[in-house]
C-alpha cells in the first residue's frame, strides 16, 4: 500500500510540481487521506493521496478483491484568490474516503455530493467526475492491479446536478462548453439550462 502511494505521489509531483501545503484526514475505520495543494499561477489544484491505496470494490460483491479493481485519486482545480477554497480539504477527503466508507466505485460521469458547500460561500455541494488522462496521466501498476486514474472534479450547482441526473453527464458538459463556462471559477453561477 505504501509503495503504491509513493508512486502516486511521485506522479502528482511530476505532473503538478511541488505541493505548497498538505493536510491529512482520517475517518473512523478508513485509511488516512491526504490532500495536497499545488499553486500554478492563478490556479490552485487540490489532489487527494490515499484513495488509491485500496482498489474500489463493487458494492454488490460478497468479498472485495484486495488486488484487482479500479483505483483513483481526485483532482480539483479552481482559480486562486476569489474564495476561501482551502476549506475544500475536508470535503475532498470525504469524497476520497467514500469508496472505503460507502462501498461506491467513483468513475467518470458520476456525481458526488458532500451535502454542504465545498468551501464557505460556494454555490456548489457536488461535483461531476470527469474523464482522466488530461492533467495527470494514469499510473500503470504491476499486473494484475488496475492503473491509478487521476479523476478531475468539476463543481456543479444544485440546478446543474439536478439537470445532469435527468439529461446525463455528457449533455451537461456540452452545455458548459457551448456557453464557455469557466469551470475553475469558484464563484460562478449555474449555466443556463433552458
Amino acid at each position: 500500500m505504501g509503495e503504491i502511494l509513493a508512486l502516486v505521489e511521485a506522479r502528482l509531483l511530476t505532473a503538478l510540481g511541488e505541493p505548497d501545503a498538505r493536510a491529512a484526514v482520517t475517518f473512523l475505520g478508513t485509511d488516512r487521506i491526504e490532500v495536497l495543494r499545488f499553486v500554478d499561477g492563478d490556479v490552485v489544484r487540490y489532489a487527494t493521496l490515499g484513495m488509491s491505496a485500496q482498489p474500489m470494490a463493487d458494492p454488490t460483491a460478497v468479498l472485495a478483491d484486495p488486488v484487482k479493481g479500479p483505483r483513483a485519486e481526485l483532482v480539483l482545480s479552481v482559480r486562486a484568490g476569489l474564495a476561501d477554497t482551502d476549506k475544500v480539504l475536508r470535503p475532498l477527503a470525504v469524497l476520497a474516503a467514500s469508496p472505503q466508507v460507502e462501498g461506491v466505485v467513483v468513475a467518470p460521469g458520476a456525481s458526488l455530493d458532500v451535502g454542504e458547500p465545498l468551501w464557505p460561500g460556494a454555490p456548489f455541494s457536488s461535483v461531476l467526475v470527469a474523464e482522466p488522462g488530461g492533467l495527470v496521466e494514469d499510473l500503470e501498476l504491476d499486473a494484475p492491479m488496475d492503473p491509478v486514474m487521476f479523476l478531475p472534479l468539476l463543481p456543479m450547482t444544485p440546478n446543474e446536478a439536478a439537470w445532469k441526473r435527468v439529461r446525463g453527464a455528457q449533455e451537461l458538459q456540452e452545455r458548459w462548453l457551448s456557453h464557455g463556462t469557466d469551470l475553475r471559477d469558484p464563484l460562478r453561477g449555474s449555466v443556463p439550462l433552458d
Side-chain angles (χ1 to χ4, degrees):
M1 178 175 98
E3 183 182 318
I4 291 172
L5 293 183
L7 292 170
V8 168
E9 184 169 0
R11 176 59 54 94
L12 286 169
L13 299 184
T14 300
L16 303 176
E18 199 63 39
D20 75 333
R22 62 172 64 211
V25 180
T26 305
F27 302 101
L28 191 62
T30 67
D31 296 324
R32 185 170 97 143
I33 303 285
E34 283 190 87
V35 179
L36 283 57
R37 183 180 71 187
F38 302 87
V39 177
D40 180 15
D42 69 337
V43 174
V44 60
R45 302 185 200 286
Y46 302 93
T48 63
L49 178 62
M51 181 178 172
S52 62
Q54 306 292 334
M56 292 181 273
D58 180 345
T60 61
V62 178
L63 287 174
D65 190 315
V67 177
K68 289 191 213 167
R71 294 175 189 260
E73 296 291 352
L74 307 175
V75 181
L76 173 70
S77 301
V78 291
R79 298 226 175 276
L82 302 176
D84 188 8
T85 56
D86 281 351
K87 297 285 195 290
V88 78
L89 300 179
R90 185 166 176 77
L92 263 184
V94 167
L95 296 177
S98 62
Q100 286 184 59
V101 175
E102 300 169 29
V104 297
V105 175
V106 177
S111 300
L112 303 174
D113 196 316
V114 293
E116 62 186 27
L118 292 174
W119 51 83
F124 322 104
S125 63
S126 63
V127 292
L128 174 65
V129 181
E131 292 291 332
L135 189 61
V136 184
E137 285 184 37
D138 291 357
L139 173 65
E140 296 294 329
L141 299 175
D142 294 337
M145 292 187 282
D146 289 24
V148 176
M149 298 178 293
F150 296 88
L151 300 170
L153 301 180
L154 308 175
M156 293 188 292
T157 66
N159 286 346
E160 290 169 341
W163 202 78
K164 183 256 176 197
R165 277 192 294 278
V166 174
R167 306 292 278 275
Q170 185 66 38
E171 281 201 38
L172 178 59
Q173 288 178 299
E174 287 171 8
R175 175 133 319 221
W176 282 335
L177 198 58
S178 68
H179 284 83
T181 305
D182 180 2
L183 296 174
R184 293 179 178 166
D185 180 351
L187 303 172
R188 74 171 179 85
S190 189
V191 70
L193 298 170
D194 47 10

